[in-house]
Amino acid sequence: MNKLFHAQSELREMDALAAEHSPIHALHPLCKLFSTILYICVVVSFPKYNFSGLVMMVLYPIIVFQVSGIPVSLCFYKLRIVLPLVCAVGLANPFLDHTPLLQLGTITVTGGVVSMVTLMLKGLFSLMASFLLIATTSIDALCAALRRLHVPGILTTLLLLTYRYIGVMLEEVSVMTEAYSLRAPGQKGIHISAWGSFLGQLLMRSMDRAEELYGSMVLRGFNGNFFYADISPFCLRDVLYLAICGAAFLCARFYDLPGLLGSLFVG
Amino acid sequence: MNIMIAFQNVSFSYDGTVPVVEDLSFSISGGESVGLIGANGAGKSTIMKLMLGLLTGQGKIFVGDLEMNKQNLPKIRQTVGFVLQDSDNQMFMPTVYEDMIFGPRNYGLTKEQAEARVDRVLNQLGLAELKHRYNHKISGGEKRMAAIATILAMEPEVILMDEPSTALDPVNRRTVINTIHRLPQTKLIASHDLDMILDTCQRVILLSHGKIVADGSADTILRDRALLEANRMELPFCLQGRHM
């Protein structure tokens, strides 16, 4: 299968995921948006050596994965391109920070190693939380939630249309690369000499498609204001979810939960 | 019969020099089904875009009692539905249902009202099972029918169709033709599929270089081999009398 066609299918798969039914999907989009933002803020705010505290934060994505029925493997598959980049961020730390933090037998674990792992986990958890948000909330619902927060309509419409037009552009790239490869047997990808005209053509074709789509929208009464998904008002369930998540995140951040748990068993 | 669409001395040029539509005048009565035929570049699609206010030329265009101008444009676009040639360009929302309620919601219907209308149209066209299907997962024929359904959900008085039978297999083509037959609205169908035009339209307007060459009954124009061939067209296949 054409790689671009595959990318396009993956994009649509996210729409399908967001349309599933589960207690997490049923939550108010604003509630999911707030809890995700809070989660990311708390995760990022952990000190660089507080590895054990940060590990507790894995519980949130695990629980949400379980309740929403979204496979964890799917998350890692979708994030396969970004994850190595996020993990690469802290790679230099072991060379910069040689402060010994703990001794594991004969191996001295330096602050650089701990901060590298902490940084990787922060990136990983933040990505997982973001993935869960978009996998359980449709882009329309998300934009509707943003509108409720009085984010300007032009921004949400832009976000929504950009999301839709990514698919259109991928379709055009897919058609063009197919046409190219059929007349360039044995070549891998697009030859550098054709990049200029390829990109120019892509721009023209995408603009034509976008024009047609826009025309179709205008003819059906579109005047710049999107009718986003109808979202129900905040209910008790949403408030409870947000309160529990908020309390749990703050506890994990300000109390040494692993230490407390350890002292229960060790004394 | 009341005049539903009227063109009065309409001209249009994309580059300001070569006219694509030149001094065009015609009218279409309510309930008429008119075929717009002509070679590539004859101006068929341009006429449709002028009728919808997507292009602006010289002369006057009326849709019902409304003259084409900026103030009347929303009302005109509510009155005239346009089925695009490429259904992929028409179906831009994730699901058929979301695409269908897009127009009615924009025209002020509540979600419940819009949904009731969607259900009615889908049942009328026998497409109820498509309602929650993803646009990228339905076949070309289903997509074309869904595109027609999105327009019908707006309850237009006039329907414009640009090549409604292209890229369809015979069964899907027949389904689309049967659907066109059942639509009571005023219809203007631009196509090269003259068999379909003969099947669905009582009247035909033949265009060449942006001018009307012939305007009359479909049965007369589509049987006139000399006229069609002079305008880079052929007799409909069903009238060619070929023997294998």
Side-chain angles (χ1 to χ4, degrees):
Chain A
M1 197 198 303
N2 183 329
K3 271 183 190 171
L4 289 157
F5 183 77
H6 193 67
Q8 216 176 312
S9 308
E10 277 195 45
L11 200 69
R12 285 163 175 168
E13 229 177 290
M14 291 306 291
D15 281 333
L17 270 183
E20 296 283 323
H21 299 282
S22 81
I24 300 290
H25 286 82
L27 286 169
H28 194 284
L30 263 185
C31 160
K32 286 184 268 185
L33 184 67
F34 282 144
S35 60
T36 306
I37 292 173
L38 183 64
Y39 176 81
I40 292 173
C41 289
V42 169
V43 162
V44 171
S45 73
F46 270 90
K48 61 179 180 178
Y49 296 146
N50 192 352
F51 173 75
S52 57
L54 184 62
V55 166
M56 293 301 290
M57 295 302 285
V58 79
L59 289 175
Y60 172 72
I62 286 176
I63 293 168
V64 177
F65 272 120
Q66 284 302 314
V67 179
S68 62
I70 293 169
V72 185
S73 56
L74 186 70
C75 169
F76 284 103
Y77 180 71
K78 299 274 185 205
L79 299 175
R80 67 194 179 280
I81 297 177
V82 194
L83 271 178
L85 298 174
V86 169
C87 290
V89 172
L91 281 182
N93 286 19
F95 304 104
L96 302 172
D97 182 357
H98 298 284
T99 324
L101 275 192
L102 63 133
Q103 196 75 30
L104 292 174
T106 54
I107 302 165
T108 307
V109 180
T110 63
V113 172
V114 175
S115 65
M116 177 189 74
V117 175
T118 308
L119 212 56
M120 283 176 178
L121 285 182
K122 283 181 183 181
L124 176 66
F125 292 170
S126 303
L127 280 177
M128 283 166 90
S130 309
F131 171 82
L132 282 168
L133 173 69
I134 53 168
T136 57
T137 319
S138 71
I139 188 82
D140 294 59
L142 211 55
C143 287
L146 290 171
R147 285 294 293 138
R148 291 264 174 102
L149 288 178
H150 299 287
V151 171
I154 187 135
L155 287 181
T156 51
T157 303
L158 205 63
L159 176 69
L160 198 64
L161 292 183
T162 306
Y163 182 78
R164 297 254 182 272
Y165 281 116
I166 288 172
V168 172
M169 214 168 79
L170 279 175
E171 262 175 44
E172 291 303 323
V173 176
S174 175
V175 168
M176 284 176 70
T177 42
E178 246 171 39
Y180 180 92
S181 60
L182 286 171
R183 284 180 291 155
Q187 259 190 47
K188 239 185 165 184
I190 311 288
H191 191 267
I192 195 162
S193 61
W195 281 12
S197 54
F198 189 89
L199 283 175
Q201 276 298 315
L202 175 64
L203 180 72
M204 300 304 288
R205 289 169 65 109
S206 303
M207 278 170 66
D208 281 347
R209 277 290 303 274
E211 195 71 38
E212 283 274 302
L213 281 168
Y214 179 69
S216 169
M217 290 163 73
V218 163
L219 292 178
R220 285 192 270 161
F222 178 67
N223 57 4
N225 295 315
F226 236 98
F227 274 95
Y228 303 103
D230 286 301
I231 48 176
S232 47
F234 236 69
C235 63
L236 184 66
R237 176 191 57 190
D238 304 310
V239 177
L240 274 177
Y241 178 83
L242 202 54
I244 292 169
C245 283
F249 297 159
L250 295 176
C251 278
R253 173 67 185 85
F254 295 110
Y255 294 97
D256 181 16
L257 294 181
L260 285 172
L261 280 172
S263 64
L264 275 178
F265 296 107
V266 182
Chain B
M1 221 177 229
N2 62 321
I3 300 293
M4 206 59 223
I5 292 169
F7 269 50
Q8 292 177 359
N9 310 102
V10 176
S11 298
F12 176 79
S13 165
Y14 282 102
D15 59 5
T17 52
V18 184
V20 181
V21 170
E22 204 176 347
D23 199 24
L24 205 70
S25 298
F26 67 88
S27 60
I28 297 173
S29 303
E32 252 191 312
S33 187
V34 180
L36 202 55
I37 63 170
N40 289 333
K44 302 186 294 293
S45 299
T46 306
I47 288 174
M48 292 195 158
K49 286 180 177 172
L50 285 165
M51 215 174 281
L52 293 155
L54 290 173
L55 298 174
T56 313
Q58 282 105 47
K60 287 184 174 179
I61 299 171
F62 292 89
V63 174
D65 300 331
L66 302 168
E67 185 178 349
M68 179 68 70
N69 57 40
K70 215 172 178 180
Q71 288 77 41
N72 291 335
L73 211 50
K75 184 72 190 139
I76 286 175
R77 285 175 176 171
Q78 201 173 355
T79 311
V80 185
F82 184 34
V83 181
L84 272 69
Q85 182 176 353
D86 186 350
S87 306
D88 280 328
N89 289 345
Q90 183 139 4
M91 312 288 286
F92 50 83
M93 300 293 275
T95 64
V96 173
Y97 165 72
E98 285 170 280
D99 234 305
M100 285 184 74
I101 61 161
F102 182 82
R105 289 300 305 271
N106 279 328
Y107 283 112
L109 265 68
T110 64
K111 195 190 172 201
E112 290 70 28
Q113 289 170 326
E115 185 152 8
R117 203 184 264 194
V118 166
D119 286 336
R120 192 170 43 72
V121 171
L122 286 173
N123 287 328
Q124 180 192 333
L125 298 182
L127 302 172
E129 81 283 359
L130 286 188
K131 187 177 175 184
H132 293 294
R133 297 269 299 277
Y134 282 94
N135 284 330
H136 66 279
K137 286 191 174 169
I138 58 178
S139 70
E142 288 172 328
K143 204 176 274 184
R144 187 65 52 87
M145 289 300 292
I148 295 173
T150 59
I151 296 307
L152 291 181
M154 291 170 60
E155 296 190 342
E157 290 173 50
V158 181
I159 299 179
L160 310 183
M161 293 183 170
D162 195 1
E163 299 285 0
S165 61
T166 45
L168 293 181
D169 64 39
V171 172
N172 282 318
R173 179 178 169 276
R174 179 50 53 192
T175 310
V176 169
I177 290 173
N178 290 341
T179 305
I180 294 172
H181 270 301
R182 291 208 306 268
L183 301 176
Q185 288 92 342
T186 306
K187 297 178 285 276
L188 181 64
I189 304 167
S191 182
H192 291 127
D193 181 352
L194 299 189
D195 287 86
M196 187 217 37
I197 294 288
L198 188 64
D199 209 339
T200 55
C201 302
Q202 301 92 47
R203 181 181 155 198
V204 161
I205 296 175
L206 172 59
L207 294 168
S208 178
H209 302 292
K211 290 180 180 167
I212 294 176
V213 178
D215 182 352
S217 102
D219 214 35
T220 311
I221 292 176
L222 296 178
R223 284 176 192 277
D224 191 335
R225 182 190 293 265
L227 175 70
L228 292 174
E229 286 182 356
N231 291 285
R232 297 174 59 198
M233 309 201 83
E234 284 181 341
L235 278 181
F237 191 73
C238 65
L239 298 179
Q240 286 183 8
R242 285 183 187 164
H243 298 287
M244 301 300 283

